[in-house]
Amino acid sequence: PSVNILHEIYAPQGGTFSASSYTAVYLPGGVGEYTCAAINSNNGCSTIKIFTVTSNNAFPSYTVSSPQNYTLGCNSTSFAVVNLGNIQSGGGGATSYTLLSPGNSAPGGTLSPVTTYTVNAPGTYTVVVRDNVSFCETKVAISILSNTFLPHIDADTLYGSHILNCFDPNVTLVGKSLTPGVIYQWNFPFAPGTKQSDSLTVNTLSATPTTSIVGNFTLQITNSSSTCKSTSVITIYQNLYPPFALAAGLKQITCATQTITLNNQSSTTIPPNTFPRSKPISAIVWQGPSPQEPLYISSSYVAGVPGDYTLTVRDQNNGCTTSTTFPVMDARNYPTLTINDGKIACGKGQGTLNVSADVSSVTYTWSTKSAVTGSTSLNNLPYYVVKDTGTYYVAVTNTLNGCTKATSVHVVSDSLNASFDLNPSSGFAPLTVNFYNNSGSTDSTGGQGVTAIWNFGNGQDTTTNMSNLSPSMIYNQPGTYTVTIYVNKGTCMASATRTVHVEIPSELTIPNIFTPNNDGANDLFFLKASNLSDISMVVYDRWGHIVYELRSDSGNISWDGKNQYGKDCAEGTYFYILKSSGKDGKEYNKKGTITLVR
């Protein structure tokens, strides 16, 4: 087969010369080390040979460079810049320069001082550096090529999918090129707008979940030598439609329905004819109020506690989740019960238990056992007649919702309270005391049927009934009397006691003579008094002088016949004035004479 060989000669100053043939002739323009490269353009294989050119004369040396690698690119004003550097004249003098276009030769004499040249047409150019003194010159042929081939480009996602969702919320875009020395740049419709890299990570637009297109992402590959560009556009979509969460079931827990079953009836919101939507909406977790335990991956959930239940579902088409709340109401309306005290009335031997409820439709179950069941039922009435003491139970069932409320009552025998009042409770003999019987039973009949026996504490008793509840008694003698009442009603009996205090009345006797001669007989003037609360007495002689003055709050006074100075008073008649109060309220105002005999 035909083989196309490209020969390239690399001069020591950096220039190149190329020819497409089996043989190529290159005329070195100066001394230095040259490299010849033969490249098979069909498979890229190459062979390199290096040779050296020397000279006895002093030729200038220099280097040639081009930022564009001696290549004209894709722009309409493409050009290549040729720069001369590291210039050394062989003889030590000044140098001058020129760049000859194809087919031209260098003029004589001194050349241009310019070391930078711009080329905008392809071809083989000759760089000439001349020593202005010796006119020795070095020539290097350089090839300016025209390269307008677009670089190879390949762009795709790292794993192939162009649709983001809640399972895969981001994707990496990757660019590739078989062309060496290229620059990658991504352009996209949101900040910062560009990124120079061969890869780009794209995330979902979570703030706008119903937006289907994330954006168009453009990869631009630029050949750094020719500036030729290739582009590729990748459109990234997103499927973030959240599912519509729906839990269905009864919304009330009653006594007849202790638990209810909630079912997942959620649906997808992915619009038809957009993204796949054939997969189910899964209930990933049910959560309820304490003590309900959460349940994972189940289409139904048994609820037994009133409160708010939360269902979280996932759309298996895109992995997106959402939650909903399902309220379960408490419809367990237990009746509120009121029951009377349990007592067996005195004298009747039985009592009636009554119960009432705050709901209209109920049934009653009475029992003498703590477990109220049908087998222990006594009747189905709101009341029950009891004849024995003990504990009784009643269960009331709301027939509208099956809720049952039970209560108990302890039945005891009714009691009889013995009580009476008396008026007055104390006084001076003879004292009349009235008694009032307040005894009665604790049931509704009160004092009806109560009989009483009185013990007045003075040996006299009496029996009363409802027609004679208020007896009276006269106490003629002083003293403390304990009064007891004994009452009974049927089989009930009781007693009560009170105390009556009787005192003697006040009394005052004043003697009119005494003999203070120390013979042991009638030596003191002594008042005979009883129940006096206070007393004062002033003794005067016949001339009206105070001989003696006495005061006492105990009611007792005596005089020994001496004056206020402790001297014996003379025999004779003395006058007195006496004032006193009795404890019974009686007042005494006395005046008289006292005869003192020695």
Side-chain angles (χ1 to χ4, degrees):
S2 174
V3 177
N4 187 19
I5 301 298
L6 175 63
H7 295 82
E8 292 186 350
I9 305 297
Y10 299 92
Q13 292 80 10
T16 60
F17 173 79
S18 301
S20 178
S21 63
Y22 286 104
T23 61
V25 176
Y26 180 69
L27 299 176
V31 297
E33 188 177 81
Y34 291 82
T35 300
C36 177
I39 302 172
N40 187 334
S41 60
N42 290 334
N43 58 16
C45 296
S46 63
T47 300
I48 296 175
K49 295 296 182 180
I50 298 175
F51 61 94
T52 301
V53 176
T54 60
S55 173
N56 294 330
N57 296 321
F59 287 90
S61 63
Y62 59 94
T63 59
V64 180
S65 64
S66 171
Q68 293 78 26
N69 293 325
Y70 311 101
T71 302
L72 303 179
C74 288
N75 297 332
S76 59
T77 58
S78 294
F79 58 87
V81 177
V82 178
N83 295 314
L84 303 181
N86 300 321
I87 301 171
Q88 300 290 332
S89 65
T95 56
S96 56
Y97 328 97
T98 188
L99 177 65
L100 301 178
S101 58
N104 294 324
S105 57
T110 302
L111 301 177
S112 170
V114 177
T115 61
T116 300
Y117 300 90
T118 300
V119 178
N120 55 18
T124 300
Y125 291 79
T126 303
V127 178
V128 179
V129 177
R130 179 176 295 168
D131 188 319
N132 294 336
V133 177
S134 65
F135 292 103
C136 291
E137 61 184 24
T138 300
K139 298 179 181 180
V140 174
I142 59 174
S143 296
I144 303 299
L145 305 178
S146 177
N147 181 9
T148 58
F149 294 101
L150 299 180
H152 171 265
I153 188 170
D154 182 18
D156 204 346
T157 62
L158 185 62
Y159 299 109
S161 176
H162 290 197
I163 302 175
L164 301 179
N165 54 37
C166 295
F167 285 128
D168 300 307
N170 53 65
V171 67
T172 300
L173 308 183
V174 178
K176 298 178 182 179
S177 178
L178 299 178
T179 303
V182 295
I183 299 173
Y184 298 86
Q185 178 173 295
W186 289 95
N187 300 297
F188 38 88
F190 42 82
T194 62
K195 179 184 179 182
Q196 285 195 352
S197 175
D198 61 348
S199 64
L200 177 68
T201 298
V202 179
N203 299 305
T204 59
L205 304 177
S206 57
T208 54
T210 58
T211 299
S212 298
I213 298 179
V214 177
N216 293 321
F217 298 84
T218 302
L219 173 63
Q220 176 180 279
I221 292 182
T222 302
N223 189 326
S224 58
S225 297
S226 65
T227 70
C228 294
K229 297 177 174 58
S230 296
T231 60
S232 178
V233 179
I234 300 176
T235 301
I236 298 299
Y237 302 88
Q238 70 174 14
N239 178 7
L240 300 182
Y241 291 95
F244 175 72
L246 176 63
L250 297 177
K251 291 190 175 183
Q252 291 184 340
I253 290 178
T254 67
C255 295
T257 306
Q258 295 290 333
T259 61
I260 60 176
T261 300
L262 306 181
N263 295 294
N264 174 28
Q265 294 188 3
S266 305
S267 59
T268 185
T269 62
I270 300 174
N273 304 319
T274 55
F275 301 106
R277 43 177 280 165
S278 60
K279 294 181 179 180
I281 312 300
S282 301
I284 57 177
V285 61
W286 296 85
Q287 293 174 298
S290 179
Q292 290 276 161
E293 294 289 338
L295 180 63
Y296 299 90
I297 315 301
S298 176
S299 61
S300 62
Y301 187 58
V302 177
V305 178
D308 290 335
Y309 288 77
T310 300
L311 168 62
T312 302
V313 298
R314 174 180 286 121
D315 191 335
Q316 298 298 339
N317 296 288
N318 59 11
C320 296
T321 62
T322 191
S323 299
T324 187
T325 300
F326 187 89
V328 175
M329 308 301 294
D330 189 353
R332 295 174 294 189
N333 183 18
Y334 292 94
T336 299
L337 307 183
T338 302
I339 190 168
N340 67 304
D341 293 337
K343 290 184 179 180
I344 298 177
C346 293
K348 291 186 177 181
Q350 66 181 28
T352 302
L353 302 179
N354 295 280
V355 65
S356 61
D358 62 347
V359 292
S360 58
S361 180
V362 295
T363 60
Y364 304 90
T365 303
W366 293 90
S367 173
T368 56
K369 298 181 180 180
S370 59
V372 179
T373 63
S375 60
T376 61
S377 174
L378 301 178
N379 62 28
N380 186 22
L381 297 173
Y383 62 88
Y384 184 70
V385 177
V386 295
K387 297 182 179 180
D388 298 316
T389 60
T391 302
Y392 291 79
Y393 302 86
V394 61
V396 180
T397 301
N398 185 342
T399 58
L400 299 179
N401 59 18
C403 293
T404 298
K405 184 68 174 291
T407 188
S408 63
V409 60
H410 188 66
V411 177
V412 297
S413 294
D414 194 13
S415 60
L416 181 62
N417 294 326
S419 174
F420 67 94
D421 290 328
L422 65 164
N423 185 35
S425 62
S426 63
F428 298 90
L431 179 64
T432 300
V433 180
N434 296 311
F435 298 91
Y436 305 92
N437 185 2
N438 299 323
S439 303
S441 59
T442 55
D443 61 10
S444 59
T445 61
Q448 297 178 8
V450 176
T451 60
I453 297 176
W454 296 84
N455 184 338
F456 297 108
N458 60 354
Q460 301 183 52
D461 299 334
T462 187
T463 301
T464 64
N465 53 31
M466 288 298 296
S467 62
N468 184 19
L469 294 179
S470 303
S472 63
M473 177 60 60
I474 298 175
Y475 293 89
N476 295 309
Q477 299 298 323
T480 299
Y481 300 87
T482 300
V483 181
T484 305
I485 185 174
Y486 299 94
V487 295
N488 73 288
K489 181 178 181 180
T491 59
C492 298
M493 293 184 296
S495 64
T497 61
R498 298 287 295 272
T499 301
V500 176
H501 299 280
V502 180
E503 298 182 8
I504 61 175
S506 64
E507 185 180 3
L508 177 62
T509 302
I510 304 174
N512 57 6
I513 186 172
F514 75 109
T515 59
N517 54 10
N518 295 322
D519 61 356
N522 199 22
D523 287 333
L524 294 175
F525 173 78
F526 185 79
L527 297 179
K528 296 178 180 180
S530 62
N531 271 350
L532 297 181
S533 60
D534 62 81
I535 187 171
S536 66
M537 182 178 177
V538 181
V539 179
Y540 302 90
D541 61 15
R542 58 183 177 176
W543 294 283
H545 299 130
I546 297 176
V547 177
Y548 201 72
E549 185 175 5
L550 302 171
R551 289 183 180 276
S552 173
D553 58 3
S554 64
N556 295 316
I557 287 179
S558 63
W559 180 35
D560 60 359
K562 297 182 184 294
N563 62 19
Q564 299 179 66
Y565 306 103
K567 301 296 184 178
D568 291 335
C569 293
E571 291 183 333
T573 301
Y574 292 86
F575 301 91
Y576 67 86
I577 297 175
L578 184 147
K579 292 182 179 181
S580 180
S581 297
K583 292 182 179 180
D584 55 0
K586 186 176 180 180
E587 298 291 334
Y588 296 90
N589 293 299
K590 301 286 186 177
K591 295 180 180 180
T593 62
I594 306 171
T595 300
L596 190 157
V597 179
R598 292 194 181 274

